[in-house]
Amino acid sequence: MPDRFDLPAGFRWGAATAAYQIEGAVTEDGRGPSVWDTFAARPGAVRDGHTGAVACDHYHRHPEDIALMRGLGLDGYRFSVAWTRVLPTGSGAVNAAGLAFYDRLVDALLEAGITPLPTLFHWDLPQGLEDGGGWLNRDTAYRFAEYAGIVADRLGDRVPAWITLNEPFVHTVFGYALGTHAPGRTLMFEALPAAHHQLLGHGLAAAVLHDRGLDVMLSNNLTPVEPASPAPADVAAAEAYDALHNRVFTDPVLLGRYPGLAALGVPDDLYGAVRPGDLDLIHTPGLDGLGLNFYNPTRIAAPTGPGGLPFDFAEWPDAPRTAFGWPVVPEALTRLLLSLRDTYGKALPPLTITENGCSVDESTTPDQPRIDFMSAHLDALAHATTEGIDVRGYYAWSLLDNFEWAEGYHQRFGLVHVDFATCERTPRASYGWYRDLIAAHRAKRAVR
Ligand code: IFM
């Protein structure tokens, strides 16, 4: 069986974070409020009232964090740019001090021999744009493209590749359909215009970045969906869920069309959001890479009662669980990668795992489950590459323990432990394991 040492020569090793989850310094140097500042201040919205106001204080401690990355021997670091540092209300005058932070960060990364991989939108929409409807307002897509151009004009001389959006599925469903994330809307399927406008923003921003000669990627949270049984009703429910979770966010970008959502009762124009020509703007035939954030597979059954959703979530049997309760099924990653080739064929660009990792409850467990999780997923990845799938890199989620959205600081995903009372960083066993793996893989592939 192939293992992680069979990953190809030149495979890029990285780690990932996101602005609101680590930066803190939410009122410094002219940063404007984002939907997450507003949401986290709402009583009961985030577990134990946690907020990202300080988080890991990365805004001030990034030199220490870059030293940790250098210690790992990373090729790349995926971070996100906080839109409200650059444009405090989402559009209008540029905040020079905010842009200068990312300028310093990029220079320091390059100095450490690490390639920056910025994500332009990781869920922290400017509150100023939310006040005008957020992603439910088509205009936000155009503001996003303007913002992309401003950041690219400043950093594009040193940053070769860019990710437009992070996990538009999760942002749409948790933020706009269910209301468990910012901005806390509960629109159910009528949240889908927010998905369409994010994808339109992706397409418009991709054109802006490509015009500047930069590479463009999109990071999707993809899950292989399996029916709970071969019964036709379960199979149909699983197909409907697959369309909603995976295909809505990938088909338009790679194929220029949405999957049919009639089984969910959703109209083809996504409640009037899709206008003539939009799919031509979203379709990105020159997409330079597709980012995959992989955590777990999903098992779906037909609904048991009338009304409600047209699918039910079923338990994944016989799998260990992360501290978050997510099933650990590494071979599902191999299946997912092979199925992407079957679905998209030549339209599938090179792939990068832009997030993978797990939360561990260290009050009861040492760090070993994280090492087991990552090593098994890297073996599964290597299996797919030996089957001919073009996967170029792996970014561990996450470099640091951080603000895990509605869970606050309760879920710890870091290779590095953070004491949130003092912001002290302490590398975990998985940090040493990842460092040694990176070095060993490089040495082994260099001699082949
Ligand atoms: O922390 C998140 C990240 O922001 C997006 N992908 C999943 C991670 C773990 O839940």
Side-chain angles (χ1 to χ4, degrees):
M1 205 53 176
D3 70 18
R4 49 205 175 275
F5 295 101
D6 295 306
L7 288 163
F11 188 80
R12 297 186 66 74
W13 297 98
T17 64
Y20 190 73
Q21 295 183 270
I22 64 163
E23 284 181 2
V26 291
T27 54
E28 264 180 73
D29 292 339
R31 176 189 179 278
S34 79
V35 291
W36 267 98
D37 297 292
T38 310
F39 186 75
R42 191 188 292 175
V46 175
R47 203 169 148 193
D48 287 340
H50 292 169
T51 77
V54 177
C56 308
D57 194 29
H58 171 81
Y59 191 74
H60 299 111
R61 295 171 196 248
H62 61 276
E64 189 184 344
D65 296 335
I66 293 173
L68 286 163
M69 295 176 214
R70 186 189 278 224
L72 282 169
L74 297 187
D75 294 302
Y77 171 52
R78 175 178 177 233
F79 61 96
S80 77
V81 176
W83 190 338
T84 60
R85 287 201 193 280
V86 178
L87 294 158
T89 58
S91 62
V94 173
N95 175 38
L99 203 44
F101 168 68
Y102 296 105
D103 204 60
R104 293 195 297 279
L105 182 67
V106 161
D107 282 345
L109 287 165
L110 293 172
E111 171 68 28
I114 299 164
T115 304
L117 178 59
T119 302
L120 286 162
F121 180 68
H122 197 124
W123 307 350
D124 45 356
L125 190 76
Q127 185 61 42
L129 294 180
E130 176 59 22
D131 294 343
W135 285 112
L136 294 168
N137 181 349
R138 177 181 180 89
D139 187 60
T140 298
Y142 292 88
R143 302 291 78 79
F144 179 64
E146 278 169 15
Y147 151 67
I150 290 165
V151 184
D153 282 343
R154 180 64 175 265
L155 306 178
D157 57 337
R158 287 155 287 153
V159 174
W162 296 71
I163 295 171
T164 53
L165 307 174
N166 179 70
E167 299 183 1
F169 167 80
V170 177
H171 188 54
T172 302
V173 169
F174 289 2
Y176 287 85
L178 302 175
T180 53
H181 278 190
R185 308 287 298 258
T186 50
L187 297 168
M188 300 310 286
F189 289 122
E190 287 177 37
L192 281 164
H196 179 67
H197 296 145
Q198 286 174 78
L199 292 167
L200 183 60
H202 157 81
L204 296 167
V208 165
L209 295 164
H210 275 154
D211 278 353
R212 287 159 173 76
L214 302 168
D215 282 357
V216 181
M217 295 169 59
L218 166 74
S219 282
N220 273 340
N221 175 304
L222 298 181
T223 183
V225 181
E226 299 192 1
S229 82
D234 285 347
V235 171
E239 280 171 5
Y241 186 77
D242 178 47
L244 180 67
H245 189 127
N246 297 313
R247 301 195 65 148
V248 162
F249 298 90
T250 313
D251 285 18
V253 176
L254 299 184
L255 304 177
R257 58 174 183 263
Y258 278 110
L261 296 176
L264 304 173
V266 173
D268 286 349
D269 67 355
L270 305 184
Y271 304 98
V274 184
R275 297 197 188 161
D278 280 4
L279 282 157
D280 293 335
L281 295 171
I282 295 171
H283 188 199
T284 323
L287 194 71
D288 303 282
L290 181 65
L292 251 77
N293 296 356
F294 180 77
Y295 290 93
N296 55 262
T298 304
R299 177 164 290 214
I300 292 291
T304 41
L309 289 170
F311 46 77
D312 270 355
F313 292 97
E315 282 290 297
W316 196 279
D318 305 327
R321 307 253 152 195
T322 70
F324 228 141
W326 301 346
V328 180
V329 191
E331 61 277 14
L333 175 58
T334 316
R335 286 203 292 279
L336 172 66
L337 292 162
L338 296 174
S339 77
L340 287 173
R341 179 171 60 190
D342 293 345
T343 306
Y344 298 108
K346 288 191 179 359
L348 188 66
L351 303 171
T352 294
I353 303 300
T354 44
E355 286 183 26
N356 178 243
C358 67
S359 62
V360 175
D361 176 1
E362 58 198 350
S363 63
T364 55
T365 343
D367 199 32
Q368 191 59 37
R370 191 179 336 269
I371 297 173
D372 295 344
F373 183 100
M374 289 175 65
S375 58
H377 282 80
L378 283 161
D379 290 350
L381 194 57
H383 185 178
T385 62
T386 58
E387 298 283 327
I389 307 293
D390 183 0
V391 187
R392 304 263 170 105
Y394 176 92
Y395 289 73
W397 185 271
S398 178
L399 177 71
L400 304 169
D401 288 341
N402 59 47
F403 177 79
E404 178 52 35
W405 308 114
E407 285 288 302
Y409 295 101
H410 290 288
Q411 300 293 340
R412 290 182 175 268
F413 280 86
L415 298 170
V416 175
H417 174 273
V418 177
D419 176 338
F420 290 106
T422 62
C423 287
E424 187 187 349
R425 280 91 162 123
T426 309
R428 292 196 166 96
S430 50
Y431 175 97
W433 171 85
Y434 194 43
R435 174 197 61 213
D436 294 348
L437 167 65
I438 292 170
H441 175 264
R442 275 198 196 116
K444 186 158 183 189
R445 298 311 289 182
V447 292
R448 281 191 181 172

